[in-house]
């Protein structure tokens, strides 16, 4: 039985990846940080099928001990400070987790067992002020937030360890991917949760920032399959994972409110506090390489994704 270790297993991607690997017959191990309150909500339904361990991306010794204990075949590094607005408030912590933390993972693998295959979660935020549309694996990076900058470091240190030490280390440059398990601080889930709360009579307005910002949104459940496929190849490489479509926050609002039978213009108001210090206006990826080499393709279309999220939130509020 193959063993996999997932850092960030309690997050959106971690929970879907754990389900995916269990379905393939893996023994799944998850790394979590010590906390006074457990946040296992996303993995509660599979809690008895996986193994949870405590370690921290800020603590090199804990990573070494964990990898030595488990000796996984595959390691998926999904842990990070992943919310862009928070990276402006906590830039140093973001750098420690999202940038230097990657080095600690790679160094631990190098010291314990260089045969472990490593997946690093890169991000479309690395492209930032885009140099070309759509973005590919060869598009130059121009990050526009401390989070984006940290992800660029994580991406390049992964390439450096691959080329310098012969590690099987891949980076997946994933564009925005959402689901009903998305945190409420992210704009997509903020919208669908707001729709459900308005429908239930629990709030009157939904305050948002830049409605014209455009993103390439896919379904998280589809994207974790791409992570696994990357580690099944004969040679390590980096891949853009995206839908190739771009949609605005405004369009997301229209579809979400319409799903609940509401007119979005009656409820959405602009609040300047939700604008970024440096905006990323248009992200859209070209996943042709992943489609050809990995055989990956998305299954859930944009409108279907929005409906999936709205329906789940309406159900939560029993609307």
């Amino acid at each position: 039985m193959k063993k996999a270790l997932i850092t960030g297993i309690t997050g959106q991607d971690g929970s879907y990846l754990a389900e995916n690997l269990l379905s393939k017959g893996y023994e799944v191990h998850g790394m979590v940080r010590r906390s006074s309150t457990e946040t296992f909500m996303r993995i509660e339904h599979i809690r008895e099928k996986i193994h949870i361990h405590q370690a921290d991306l800020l603590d090199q010794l804990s990573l070494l001990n964990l990898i030595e204990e488990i000796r996984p075949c595959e390691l998926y590094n999904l842990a990070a400070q992943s919310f862009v607005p928070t990276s402006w408030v906590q830039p140093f912590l973001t750098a420690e987790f999202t940038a230097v933390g990657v080095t600690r993972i790679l160094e631990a693998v190098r010291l314990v067992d260089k045969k472990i295959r490593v997946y690093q979660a890169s991000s479309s935020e690395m492209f930032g002020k885009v140099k070309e549309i759509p973005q590919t694996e060869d598009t130059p990076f121009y990050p526009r937030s401390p989070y984006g900058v940290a992800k660029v470091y994580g991406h390049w240190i992964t390439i450096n360890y691959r080329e310098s030490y012969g590690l099987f280390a891949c980076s997946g440059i994933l564009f925005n991917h959402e689901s009903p398990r998305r945190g409420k601080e992210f704009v997509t889930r903020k919208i669908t949760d707001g729709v459900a709360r308005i429908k239930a009579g629990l709030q009157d307005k939904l305050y948002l920032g830049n409605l014209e910002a455009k993103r390439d949104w896919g379904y998280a459940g589809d994207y974790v399959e791409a992570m696994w496929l990357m580690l099944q190849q004969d040679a390590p490489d980096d891949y853009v994972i995206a839908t190739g479509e771009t949609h605005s926050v405004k369009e997301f609002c229209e579809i979400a409110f319409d799903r609940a039978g509401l007119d979005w213009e009656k409820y959405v108001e602009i609040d300047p506090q939700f604008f970024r210090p440096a905006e990323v206006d248009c992200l859209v990826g070209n996943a042709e390489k992943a489609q050809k080499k990995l055989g990956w393709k998305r299954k859930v279309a944009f409108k279907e994704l929005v409906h999936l999220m709205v329906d789940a939130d309406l159900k939560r509020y029993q609307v």
Side-chain angles (χ1 to χ4, degrees), residues 18-248:
E19 286 178 348
N20 185 294
L21 294 177
L22 285 171
S23 73
K24 298 180 190 298
Y26 279 68
E27 179 179 307
V28 177
H29 297 257
M31 187 188 95
V32 299
R33 283 183 294 150
R34 170 73 178 92
S35 175
S36 57
T37 56
E38 291 187 341
T39 54
F40 295 157
M41 178 184 65
R42 294 185 181 95
I43 57 171
E44 201 60 53
H45 62 296
I46 54 172
R47 184 70 178 81
E48 300 304 315
K49 299 177 182 179
I50 59 180
H51 307 270
I52 298 296
H53 308 264
Q54 288 185 0
D56 199 308
L57 287 181
L58 304 187
D59 187 339
Q60 183 71 54
L61 184 58
S62 71
L63 297 175
L64 277 165
N65 289 339
L66 178 60
I67 294 171
E68 179 70 56
E69 175 190 349
I70 298 170
R71 291 284 180 143
C73 304
E74 299 169 5
L75 191 159
Y76 297 84
N77 184 37
L78 310 185
Q81 190 302 100
S82 59
F83 189 45
V84 173
T86 297
S87 76
W88 289 104
V89 180
Q90 297 182 302
F92 297 103
L93 186 67
T94 299
E96 282 290 345
F97 276 119
T98 310
V100 183
V102 182
T103 313
R104 294 191 184 102
I105 287 283
L106 293 167
E107 186 67 5
V109 168
R110 183 182 76 84
L111 293 171
V112 174
D113 183 357
K114 289 198 285 188
K115 294 191 295 292
I116 296 171
R117 297 191 169 199
V118 179
Y119 171 83
Q120 166 58 21
S122 288
S123 169
S124 60
E125 287 287 336
M126 300 189 304
F127 295 120
K129 189 174 182 180
V130 298
K131 293 298 185 179
E132 63 182 6
I133 296 175
Q135 294 89 53
T136 71
E137 293 81 4
D138 297 321
T139 301
F141 300 135
Y142 195 142
R144 298 273 280 172
S145 68
Y147 170 76
V149 172
K151 278 294 185 183
V152 169
Y153 176 99
H155 182 82
W156 277 111
I157 199 67
T158 300
I159 292 172
N160 271 260
Y161 268 70
R162 179 171 75 212
E163 295 179 350
S164 301
Y165 298 119
L167 296 188
F168 193 109
C170 302
S171 284
I173 308 173
L174 271 57
F175 279 65
N176 295 64
H177 45 289
E178 318 298 318
S179 77
R181 299 179 194 172
R182 192 57 141 155
K184 293 181 184 179
E185 68 272 23
F186 292 88
V187 68
T188 51
R189 183 69 197 294
K190 180 179 178 180
I191 291 169
T192 62
D193 181 70
V195 166
R197 288 180 60 82
I198 289 169
K199 186 73 172 180
L202 299 174
Q203 73 183 58
D204 299 320
K205 295 288 183 179
L206 177 61
Y207 296 94
L208 299 171
N210 183 12
L211 296 184
E212 301 308 318
K214 294 180 178 179
R215 295 291 184 271
D216 183 328
W217 279 301
Y219 174 52
D222 290 343
Y223 284 36
V224 299
E225 175 71 7
M227 299 176 187
W228 176 78
L229 285 168
M230 289 178 207
L231 297 193
Q232 312 314 308
Q233 304 306 303
D234 293 334
D237 206 346
D238 307 317
Y239 299 88
V240 163
I241 304 299
T243 71
E245 299 175 6
T246 183
H247 301 275
S248 67

Side-chain angles (χ1 to χ4, degrees), residues 292-307:
K292 286 184 177 179
K293 289 194 172 184
L294 304 179
W296 176 84
K297 61 179 180 179
R298 61 116 175 223
K299 298 175 182 176
V300 178
F302 176 68
K303 190 172 183 179
E304 185 182 353
L305 169 63
V306 180
H307 287 177

